[in-house]
């Protein structure tokens, strides 16, 4: 296995961010991040104590999904 990485290897190196930073990055409130989790649009990738941690790419995917859904409804 020279020079190859698996998805599992990549996941180990992905930085996780707090709800607050996720909200800042997506341009929404922390309440919106929590709502996305409740509605199944976003899943925490880990925890730190009681704090949920997210992968930035998952936050952006949830933002795109909910943004498209909002515009599709109108």
């Amino acid at each position: 296995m020279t020079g190859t990485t698996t998805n599992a290897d990549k996941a180990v190196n992905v930085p996780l961010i707090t709800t607050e930073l996720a909200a800042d990055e997506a341009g929404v409130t922390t309440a919106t991040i929590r709502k996305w989790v409740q509605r199944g649009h976003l899943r925490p990738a880990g925890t730190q104590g009681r704090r949920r941690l997210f992968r930035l790419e998952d936050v952006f995917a949830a933002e795109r999904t909910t943004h498209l859904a909002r515009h599709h409804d109108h």
Side-chain angles (χ1 to χ4, degrees):
M1 255 183 33
T2 54
T4 61
T5 58
T6 64
N7 286 339
D9 292 333
K10 290 178 185 174
V12 171
N13 296 321
V14 174
L16 300 180
I17 59 173
T18 63
T19 301
E20 293 79 8
L21 186 54
D24 286 346
E25 291 292 332
V28 298
T29 65
T30 55
T32 297
I33 297 293
R34 289 190 296 272
K35 190 180 298 181
W36 289 351
V37 171
Q38 289 172 345
R39 293 182 178 172
H41 298 298
L42 179 62
R43 285 184 35 180
T47 58
Q48 184 178 51
R50 292 184 58 211
R51 301 178 87 175
R52 293 176 175 170
L53 300 174
F54 303 93
R55 294 184 326 154
L56 189 56
E57 66 186 74
D58 293 343
V59 174
F60 288 147
E63 194 277 332
R64 282 191 305 273
T65 299
T66 57
H67 183 78
L68 290 173
R70 275 197 314 268
H71 287 301
H72 187 265
D73 289 343
H74 289 43

